[in-house]
Amino acid sequence: MLLATLAHVSREVAATSARSRKIALLAELFGAAEPADVPVVIPWLAGRLPQGRIGVGRQALKDPAPPAETATLTVREADDVVTALAAVSGPGSQTVRRRLVQDLLGAATEEEQRFLIALLFGEVRQGALDAVAGEALARATQAPPAAVRRAVMLAGSLQSVAERLLADGPGALAEFRLTVGRPVLPMLAQTAGGVTEAVGRLAPCGVEEKLDGIRVQVHRRGDVVRVYTRTLDDITARLPEVTAAALALDGDRFILDGEVIALDADGRPHAFQDVAGRVGSRTDVGAAAAALPLSPVFFDVLAADGEDLLDLSYAERRTTLDRLVPEPMRVRRVVVPAPDGGGAGDGDGDTAPDTAEAEAFWRATLDRGHEGVVVKALDTPYSAGRRGAGWVKVKPVHTLDLVVLAAEWGHGRRTGRLSNLHLGARRPDGSFVMLGKTFKGLTDAMLEWQTARLRELAVADDGFTVRVRPELVVEIAYDGLQRSSRYPAGVTLRFARVLRHREDKPASQADTLETVLGGHGPSADPAGKTLDEDGSSEPGI
């Protein structure tokens, strides 16, 4: 497949908000694709590089090669260059990367160049997510959409299902079954503004602790245990304590879903970053485990004794989990019954569930240092790989008023607009310290206004980043802090996104670094401000 075809479809998908139109465009694309194109086409449509980080900086795009006049570059040829970029290391690597990037751009047409630049810098955002692509794949191959969704769930990969479908037709879907030892995509949760809202939507339901650890899927067949991350990476060798815990259970041929966390002497959780660092450690695992032992905590079971449990209700799966896993390794929860005179989701408004116990459990969970809660409808099957409506997470959301120190020129649909914001908190001496970057949450209207305003404040522009006078204040929502050696304050914001521009607030009234660092764990609010249940924020002071 020519890269020009993919670039054109990507642009067309970005230009429409209609799901039906997106599906039609992608179905036509898949109909023209060869099976060998799929491992590249699908992740590129979603803005992902299969190779991961490839070390290409903005300098590699300085003085870009002129575009080709005729489209001859194929998707697989372009992917070969990206693979070569990912393999570059050592002295002179930046020079080699720049040459590879310039050669690639020189072989691309103008539209292909725009797509490639956006792809390399993570700015392909046209809404071509896996769910939409799965529907399009079903249409292109005349396969039942539900069968495609289930195959993707069981395979853990839309790409592998697409390859088989395009090569062998709908009959290939029968080959995808739940198998102990082969990971499946985890079920994900939607969000709610508060516990009362979530319970009102789902009762009768369970309200579970939401642990701020690393999601794991644990498979055991006989004496063989495999541990996978939420992205289906095999990390068994790094977590010997999880393997030991799985082997100690009185069961076989099971698949468990849970988290690994680390607890201190008082039973409070260590910071997420400590756990992530431990899970990421590949050398001297024994010493790492001794320094920071991890504890698995399970909240679901997908298979037991070789039986597929995915289609059972959450209540039935939880009964099996309680039988298989001892209490210390099960997540805490309370159960909220249906309101008197009504069932889950009847929505008649005559009765409401009693949420007092759920609210008390939420507060106690935060007091124990955990991240929040997940509310789960008792009748929910396990919808692997999807944000099912039957699971809803509730977390406290923090906000800060920070100052824009610089902004980066956007790519893709954000070309010509200042997008990625460099965020700073106020120091006692009136200067600012950078805490991180974000382009999340910005609407087109916000981008237009922001670009015009920051151009007025600009003091330097190297073609990639515009440095500005520290005057524009933005309200930022974030999920917490994590340590970072990249930034001078030693911390950065987790999942930061822009809520609004604070034209009414001078930089002298922005939040201070002391305020940012004032939180004490996941339950604390470093900014002293949280979002109300209706999503509004308390007024700044």
Side-chain angles (χ1 to χ4, degrees), residues 78-309:
D79 182 61
D80 288 342
V81 176
V82 177
T83 300
L85 283 166
V88 174
S89 62
S93 58
Q94 292 303 322
T95 300
V96 176
R97 288 193 185 100
R98 174 172 168 75
R99 177 180 58 78
L100 288 170
V101 169
Q102 293 298 324
D103 288 348
L104 176 60
L105 294 179
T109 63
E110 185 174 355
E111 184 175 40
E112 291 171 331
Q113 282 192 355
R114 286 195 297 268
F115 176 79
L116 287 169
I117 291 170
L119 179 68
L120 293 175
F121 290 100
E123 295 198 354
V124 174
R125 284 180 285 277
Q126 72 268 340
L129 301 177
D130 284 352
V132 176
E135 295 291 326
L137 180 64
R139 180 179 298 186
T141 58
Q142 298 183 329
V148 173
R149 288 194 296 271
R150 186 173 182 84
V152 172
M153 172 183 75
L154 297 176
S157 165
L158 176 62
Q159 293 95 296
S160 61
V161 174
E163 281 188 89
R164 292 305 313 277
L165 263 177
L166 292 176
D168 300 324
L173 295 177
E175 300 175 11
F176 296 98
R177 302 182 181 88
L178 182 67
T179 303
V180 177
R182 185 172 69 188
V184 301
L185 293 171
M187 183 169 176
L188 304 174
Q190 298 182 6
T191 59
V195 174
T196 296
E197 174 194 336
V199 171
R201 284 158 55 178
L202 299 181
C205 57
V207 182
E208 298 182 349
E209 287 179 327
K210 187 177 191 308
L211 309 178
D212 195 16
I214 299 295
R215 185 88 174 256
V216 292
Q217 192 176 110
V218 178
H219 294 235
R220 174 182 163 186
R221 179 187 290 274
D223 293 334
V224 178
V225 174
R226 310 307 301 176
V227 183
Y228 301 95
T229 66
R230 65 184 299 156
T231 54
L232 312 188
D233 296 315
D234 189 334
I235 55 171
T236 309
R238 302 181 220 166
L239 300 178
E241 55 266 76
V242 176
T243 296
L247 290 173
L249 298 178
D250 292 330
D252 191 16
R253 293 177 296 156
F254 59 70
I255 303 173
L256 299 174
D257 191 2
E259 302 247 346
V260 288
I261 60 174
L263 301 173
D264 63 19
D266 297 322
R268 295 184 63 81
H270 283 268
F272 168 82
Q273 193 172 11
D274 293 335
V275 178
R278 164 62 215 286
V279 172
S281 177
R282 302 168 186 267
T283 59
D284 202 352
V285 171
L292 188 71
L294 299 179
S295 301
V297 182
F298 299 108
F299 50 73
D300 217 323
V301 55
L302 283 60
D305 297 323
E307 181 183 355
D308 181 341
L309 307 181

Side-chain angles (χ1 to χ4, degrees), residues 381-401:
Y382 194 96
S383 300
R386 305 182 68 189
R387 292 197 182 276
W391 286 14
V392 176
K393 59 186 176 183
V394 183
K395 298 191 296 182
V397 178
H398 314 303
T399 69
L400 289 168
D401 291 328

